């Protein structure tokens, strides 16, 4: 993970999602009053060369409350330079210069948590173990004791001491953990739900409300258990990705034998065999066999993809029809799937705007309400001759109602659920800030090649302009094109090879950015380039302009073969439009998003393709800097702009856009690492799906905030009126917490 940096939309495109927005994965229970702590905390100004990273699994660390406690505690230890929190997997990374990890483990033990040292850094393929199941019978017995205390007290069946004994048994049976956490929180001046509940139950006991104190503690423990289980669904939605790869792979040994080996032990370059119906354990390249592969876990594609020799395979995908042998291209911890998991985990570090608001609100809200509760308990009895019993009781109810647990919990659960739902569809979102920001987009800029079109153009026309080159022009152009990596040049080279032409040796080859290529063949310098290059070389003429114009109006890209004397031949190349592009543009228009195509191709080609697809406007002959200017111009008009490109050539425009979308990200390291949103296949329809998910997430976030604050407001009014009881307050607090959790989890079904 990178150092925290401030993040504005004017960001360079090597995102290190940073410190103003860091935080949680799905929360566990103890979330009230937590300070908003960053996912990565730098404790020293400079890093030591001798510092090493130790990693620990802390099962109790599932919320910013625990994160804050750990940060405050370890921040006081000498020799600790950096803390890295992964709340999804409950893993803490500590960069330190200590001789061992004993001091770190003892410090965490003092907080009531157990730190389990982990092995080597960087194995993201290992899923977090499931926490041990909580024993149910102590809670059941406590529930029976609490109900018995209520019945005995209500019916006056026994002396008060028996009621007290039953209530005390119930509290001790299920509430010791809450008391312990509450005491730790209070020692660290942190008013979380455990601290508030401990104060409320103790207060109820002190004023003689034994049955109610017992029932409150039991109800709280039950609700806490249900909430934790519910929150695990959000956590498991992402950690479930880790279960997609098998543990073993069939690998060829040095003696030629095939043997099953742990995937983590398979070296890059090893030969792996996968049978029909098996999951592929590692990234690789097919060297033998042919089959169809279900890539839905990686790309979200609904249909299997045919694989043959030379094609890429991704860990976690399913081989269907035939047997395949492939050469491993990435270790288990560095596969495309592993990088996706890592990106989603790190995305929790970028808090969404709503989440930041909620964190800031809760930090102010909780202490204020605690002070109000104290005033409610003291002021009426002292200055208004009111009953101490009544007003202390109301203050205790107010304490329980005051905790903004539902409010704090609602945002991370919704964000995590949205990120997980997107990942299942092959949409990798690099943080909650982008998930929430997608709904604001009203303009989308798109690259053409590989985005709207297939990116595999074919030569359609050829015309020799100098008769002396009639038999040589195609071969010369193909020779130059063979050395280029541009799709247009490659199309001309492929056409030449398909005709069986002998290609010439090219010396002094050079690519001319945005213009074409240059090379020397048999001592003569030739250019293969676009209209812009012809103009710059001063070799254009009205007759040539007319020929180019006629072809360009057909939506074709024209390149010319030139020598020092002028144009020798022209070649027209056309790219085919994806069917999915037409549907995607139509869906974007339905969502109210306008579109503009930005391409280096000529304007006529751009206009022709834009018309076919339904894009609002198109701009051609653009260099990377020109695309950036177009994005800037749209911003100046008040638009919120997204940009779709390949993550490399379109880097300036992608960086400036509100949200940068990278196409064909599967197998493209830079796309996963640099894009705000990476589409794991080249299907443009995933962008309207992303926008819809963003709008659904925002709607659920707003519903949760209104629900949480609305219920609090109602109960605060009821409390001041003296009509609320402690157990009603628990139902209100934990009930609304469960409601917002379940509401947030609805996104997993999207």
């Amino acid at each position: 993970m990178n150092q925290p940096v401030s993040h504005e939309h004017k960001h360079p495109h090597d995102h290190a999602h940073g410190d103003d927005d860091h935080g949680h994965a799905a929360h566990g229970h103890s979330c009230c009053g937590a300070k908003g702590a960053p996912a990565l905390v730098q404790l020293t100004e400079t890093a030591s060369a001798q510092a090493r990273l130790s990693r620990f699994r802390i099962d109790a660390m599932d919320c910013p409350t625990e994160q804050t406690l750990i940060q405050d505690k370890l921040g006081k230890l000498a020799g600790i330079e950096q803390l890295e929190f992964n709340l999804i997997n409950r893993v803490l990374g500590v960069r330190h210069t200590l001789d061992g990890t004993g001091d770190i483990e003892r410090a965490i033990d003092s907080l009531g948590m157990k730190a389990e040292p982990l092995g080597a850094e960087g194995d993201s393929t290992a899923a977090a173990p499931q926490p041990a199941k909580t024993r149910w019978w102590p809670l059941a017995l406590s529930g029976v004791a609490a109900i018995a205390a209520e019945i005995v007290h209500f019916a006056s069946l026994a002396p008060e001491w028996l009621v007290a004994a039953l209530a005390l048994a119930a509290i001790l049976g299920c509430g010791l953990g809450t008391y312990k956490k509450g005491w730790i929180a209070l020692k660290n001046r942190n008013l979380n739900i455990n601290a508030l509940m401990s104060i409320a139950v103790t207060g109820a006991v002190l004023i003689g409300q034994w049955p109610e104190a017992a029932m409150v503690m039991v109800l709280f423990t039950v609700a806490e258990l249900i909430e934790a289980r519910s929150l695990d669904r959000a956590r498991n939605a992402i950690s479930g990705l880790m279960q997609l790869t098998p543990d073993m792979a069939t690998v060829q040994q040095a003696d030629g034998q095939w043997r099953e080996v742990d995937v983590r032990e398979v070296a890059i370059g090893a030969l792996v065999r996968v049978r029909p119906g098996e999951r592929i354990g590692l990234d690789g390249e097919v060297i033998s066999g042919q089959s169809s592969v279900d890539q839905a876990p990686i790309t979200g594609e609904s249909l299997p993809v045919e694989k043959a020799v030379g094609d890429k395979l991704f860990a976690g995908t399913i081989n269907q029809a035939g047997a395949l042998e492939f050469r491993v291209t990435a270790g288990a911890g560095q596969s495309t799937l592993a990088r996706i998991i890592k990106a989603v985990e790190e995305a929790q570090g970028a808090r969404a705007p709503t989440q930041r608001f909620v964190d800031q609100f809760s930090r102010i809200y909780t202490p204020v309400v605690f002070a109000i509760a104290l005033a409610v308990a003291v002021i009426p009895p002292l200055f208004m001759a009111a009953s101490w019993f009544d007003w202390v009781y109301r203050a205790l109810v107010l304490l329980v109602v005051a905790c903004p647990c539902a409010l704090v919990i609602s945002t991370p659960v919704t964000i995590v659920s949205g990120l997980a739902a997107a990942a299942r569809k092959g949409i990798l979102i690099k943080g909650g800030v982008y998930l929430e920001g997608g709904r604001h987009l009203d303009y989308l800029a798109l690259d053409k090649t590989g985005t709207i079109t297939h990116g595999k153009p074919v030569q359609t026309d050829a015309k020799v302009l100098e008769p002396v080159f009639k038999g040589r022009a195609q071969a010369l152009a193909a020779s130059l094109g063979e050395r280029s990596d541009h799709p247009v040049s490659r199309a001309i080279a492929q056409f030449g090879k398909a005709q069986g032409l002998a290609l010439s040796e090219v010396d002094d080859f050079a690519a001319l950015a945005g213009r074409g290529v240059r090379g020397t063949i048999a001592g003569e310098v030739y250019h293969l380039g676009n209209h812009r290059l012809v103009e710059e070389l001063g070799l254009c003429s009205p007759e040539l302009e007319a020929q180019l114009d006629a072809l360009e109006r057909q939506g074709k890209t024209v390149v010319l073969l030139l020598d020092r004397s002028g144009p020798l031949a022209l070649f027209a190349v056309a790219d085919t439009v994806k069917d999915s592009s037409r549907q995607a543009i139509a869906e974007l228009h339905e969502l109210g998003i306008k579109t503009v195509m930005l391409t280096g191709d000529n304007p006529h080609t751009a206009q022709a393709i834009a018309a076919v697809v339904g894009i609002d406007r198109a701009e051609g002959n653009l260099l990377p800097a020109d695309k950036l200017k177009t994005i800037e111009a749209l911003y100046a008009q008040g638009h919120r702009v997204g940009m779709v490109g390949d993550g490399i050539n379109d880097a300036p425009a992608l960086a400036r856009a509100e949200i940068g979308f990278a196409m064909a990200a599967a197998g493209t390291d830079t796309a996963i690492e640099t894009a705000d949103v990476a589409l794991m296949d080249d299907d443009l329809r995933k962008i309207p799906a992303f926008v819809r998910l963003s709008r659904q997430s925002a709607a659920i976030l707003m519903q949760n905030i209104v629900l949480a604050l609305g219920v609090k407001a109602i109960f605060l009014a009821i409390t001041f009126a003296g009509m609320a009881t402690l157990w009603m307050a628990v139902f209100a607090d934990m009930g609304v917490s469960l409601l917002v959790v379940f509401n947030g989890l609805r996104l997993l079904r999207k």
Side-chain angles (χ1 to χ4, degrees):
M1 227 168 157
N2 300 324
Q3 289 288 342
V5 295
S6 68
H7 190 92
E8 303 175 18
H9 289 302
K10 219 169 182 173
H11 47 291
H13 229 69
D14 57 350
H15 296 291
H17 297 302
D19 91 327
D20 56 327
D21 309 315
H22 284 281
H24 2 183
H27 287 230
H29 35 278
S30 320
C31 35
C32 301
K35 296 178 184 176
L40 189 144
V41 181
Q42 188 68 41
L43 300 174
T44 58
E45 291 184 9
T46 56
S48 305
Q50 66 269 30
R52 60 191 179 95
L53 182 68
S54 298
R55 297 164 73 244
F56 305 88
R57 185 154 343 260
I58 306 173
D59 287 334
M61 185 184 73
D62 56 4
C63 178
T65 295
E66 288 87 20
Q67 179 176 329
T68 303
L69 291 175
I70 292 168
Q71 182 180 323
D72 291 345
K73 191 74 176 180
L74 295 185
K76 297 171 184 174
L77 283 182
I80 293 180
E81 297 184 353
Q82 192 182 75
L83 303 175
E84 187 176 315
F85 294 91
N86 180 342
L87 295 176
I88 284 183
N89 286 338
R90 300 183 175 99
V91 172
L92 169 68
V94 183
R95 195 166 293 279
H96 62 93
T97 55
L98 304 173
D99 293 333
T101 61
D103 290 345
I104 299 170
E105 291 173 50
R106 282 189 290 275
I108 293 170
D109 283 346
S110 71
L111 299 174
M113 306 179 211
K114 179 71 177 172
E116 177 193 347
L118 294 178
E121 178 193 0
D123 184 8
S124 41
T125 61
Q130 294 297 315
K133 293 278 179 76
T134 309
R135 289 181 295 181
W136 61 270
W137 61 265
L139 179 57
L141 290 176
S142 297
V144 170
I147 293 169
E150 285 278 11
I151 293 170
V152 169
H153 175 73
F154 183 77
S156 302
L157 299 176
E160 192 65 25
W161 67 265
L162 183 61
V163 174
L166 287 168
L168 195 60
I171 293 168
L172 294 175
C174 69
L176 289 179
T178 302
Y179 268 113
K180 184 180 178 182
K181 292 175 187 176
W183 173 243
I184 291 170
L186 287 171
K187 278 201 306 183
N188 289 272
R189 295 188 290 279
N190 203 322
L191 289 172
N192 63 24
I193 185 62
N194 295 296
L196 296 179
M197 195 59 60
S198 301
I199 294 168
V201 170
T202 304
V205 166
L206 292 176
I207 61 174
Q209 293 290 310
W210 289 98
E212 196 155 4
M215 189 57 71
V216 163
M217 186 60 84
V218 169
L219 287 173
F220 173 73
T221 308
V222 170
E224 189 184 46
L225 188 64
I226 296 170
E227 188 179 291
R229 295 283 170 84
S230 304
L231 289 166
D232 278 340
R233 278 194 61 195
R235 177 177 288 110
N236 293 340
I238 291 174
S239 63
L241 289 170
M242 301 176 187
Q243 311 301 325
L244 291 176
T245 54
D247 295 327
M248 309 297 284
T250 307
V251 183
Q252 190 176 43
Q253 306 301 301
D255 59 2
Q257 298 295 309
W258 295 88
R259 187 164 62 86
E260 284 205 340
V261 177
D262 191 309
V263 291
R264 286 172 291 185
E265 297 174 6
V266 180
I268 295 173
L271 193 61
V272 177
R273 177 181 286 171
V274 57
R275 290 181 287 270
E278 284 187 341
R279 273 195 190 273
I280 295 164
L282 296 141
D283 281 11
E285 186 176 304
V286 179
I287 64 164
S288 172
Q290 191 169 349
S291 181
S292 56
V293 175
D294 179 2
Q295 296 190 154
I298 302 294
T299 66
E301 292 168 290
S302 56
L303 295 174
V305 179
E306 293 298 320
K307 299 288 184 179
V309 176
D311 289 335
K312 289 181 177 178
L313 297 175
F314 305 110
T317 57
I318 305 165
N319 181 32
Q320 294 197 322
L324 292 172
E325 292 180 10
F326 66 92
R327 187 81 60 192
V328 176
T329 56
Q334 298 300 319
S335 67
T336 300
L337 179 63
R339 294 200 311 275
I340 291 171
I341 294 165
K342 188 171 186 287
V344 175
E345 288 178 353
E346 290 183 353
Q348 310 315 305
R351 287 185 184 172
T354 304
Q355 198 166 338
R356 294 200 300 271
F357 160 74
V358 166
D359 289 342
Q360 291 161 359
F361 178 84
S362 63
R363 288 202 297 273
I364 299 166
Y365 167 88
T366 306
V368 167
V369 178
F370 187 83
I372 293 171
L374 195 60
V376 166
V378 173
I379 292 173
L382 283 180
F383 301 104
M384 300 164 61
S387 165
W388 277 97
F389 180 92
D390 287 346
W391 287 94
V392 168
Y393 186 81
R394 291 183 196 187
L396 294 174
V397 174
L398 188 61
L399 275 184
V400 178
V401 173
C403 185
C405 221
L407 187 64
V408 174
I409 253 175
S410 65
T411 45
V413 170
T414 304
I415 296 298
V416 169
S417 299
L419 294 173
R424 288 176 180 176
K425 295 178 180 179
I427 306 169
L428 179 59
I429 305 171
K430 300 297 287 292
V433 65
Y434 305 115
L435 176 63
E436 202 173 330
R439 66 191 175 100
H440 297 301
L441 295 180
D442 64 352
Y443 229 108
L444 187 70
L446 305 103
D447 183 34
K448 179 180 76 71
T449 306
T451 301
I452 296 167
T453 63
H454 286 287
K456 295 179 180 177
V458 293
Q459 182 178 319
T460 57
D461 300 81
K463 183 176 181 181
V464 178
L465 304 174
E466 286 290 335
V468 70
F469 283 86
K470 192 168 181 67
R472 297 193 292 142
Q474 184 73 57
L476 288 169
S479 300
L480 290 166
E482 177 68 15
R483 294 289 302 275
S484 173
D485 59 358
H486 195 281
V488 172
S489 297
R490 299 295 302 172
I492 294 169
Q494 283 298 119
F495 188 87
K497 286 196 284 187
Q499 289 188 316
L501 299 178
L503 302 187
S504 305
E505 188 69 29
V506 181
D507 300 315
D508 301 325
F509 179 84
L512 310 172
R515 294 162 180 80
V517 297
R518 181 186 67 230
T520 303
I521 300 175
E524 187 68 38
V525 176
Y526 294 96
H527 288 84
L528 184 68
N530 56 19
H531 194 176
R532 181 195 297 268
L533 179 64
V534 182
E535 292 277 7
E536 290 181 0
L537 294 174
L539 299 173
C540 206
S541 67
E543 295 81 11
L544 183 63
E545 288 270 7
Q547 294 184 66
L548 295 179
D549 189 61
L551 288 165
E552 287 172 355
R553 287 187 184 279
Q554 299 172 33
K556 297 173 180 177
T557 300
V558 186
V559 294
L560 295 106
L561 178 69
L562 310 106
D563 66 5
R564 282 176 292 182
S565 64
L568 308 175
L570 61 80
F571 305 90
V573 170
D575 197 358
T576 52
V577 173
K578 302 173 187 173
D579 290 334
S580 60
S581 298
R582 295 185 182 90
Q583 188 182 337
I585 299 300
E587 289 181 22
L588 286 167
H589 287 157
E590 287 174 12
L591 293 167
I593 297 172
K594 292 186 175 180
T595 51
V596 58
M597 186 169 75
L598 308 178
T599 177
D601 281 349
N602 66 78
H604 295 307
T605 301
Q607 294 292 346
I609 290 181
V612 170
V613 180
I615 289 174
D616 296 305
R617 67 187 179 94
E619 297 182 16
N621 278 345
L622 299 181
L623 295 173
D626 300 323
K627 294 183 180 183
L628 176 60
K629 287 176 184 173
T630 302
I631 301 288
E632 294 279 9
L634 288 170
Y635 271 119
Q637 296 167 21
H639 293 294
R640 307 290 288 273
V641 190
M643 172 70 192
V644 190
D646 60 13
I648 303 168
N649 298 334
D650 300 304
L654 283 166
R656 180 64 184 93
E658 191 105 352
I659 299 176
F661 298 88
M663 298 289 287
T668 307
D669 296 357
T670 52
I672 295 178
E673 290 164 7
T674 64
D676 301 322
V677 178
L679 308 181
M680 301 312 293
D681 62 2
D682 59 356
D683 192 341
L684 204 56
R685 291 172 296 185
K686 284 189 168 50
I687 294 181
F690 161 77
V691 173
R692 284 192 289 269
L693 185 65
S694 174
R695 293 180 181 182
Q696 289 159 353
S697 301
I700 288 175
L701 281 170
M702 189 53 63
Q703 290 165 12
N704 285 346
I705 289 170
V706 169
L707 184 63
L709 292 179
V711 170
K712 295 295 178 191
I714 292 167
F715 260 83
L716 286 173
I718 293 173
T719 301
F720 279 113
M723 295 185 289
T725 62
L726 271 175
W727 66 266
M728 287 170 62
V730 173
F731 267 126
D733 180 71
M734 302 309 296
V736 75
S737 293
L738 291 174
L739 281 175
V740 299
V741 167
F742 290 135
N743 197 32
L745 289 173
R746 286 197 298 128
L747 283 173
L748 290 174
R749 300 200 299 269
K750 300 295 183 183

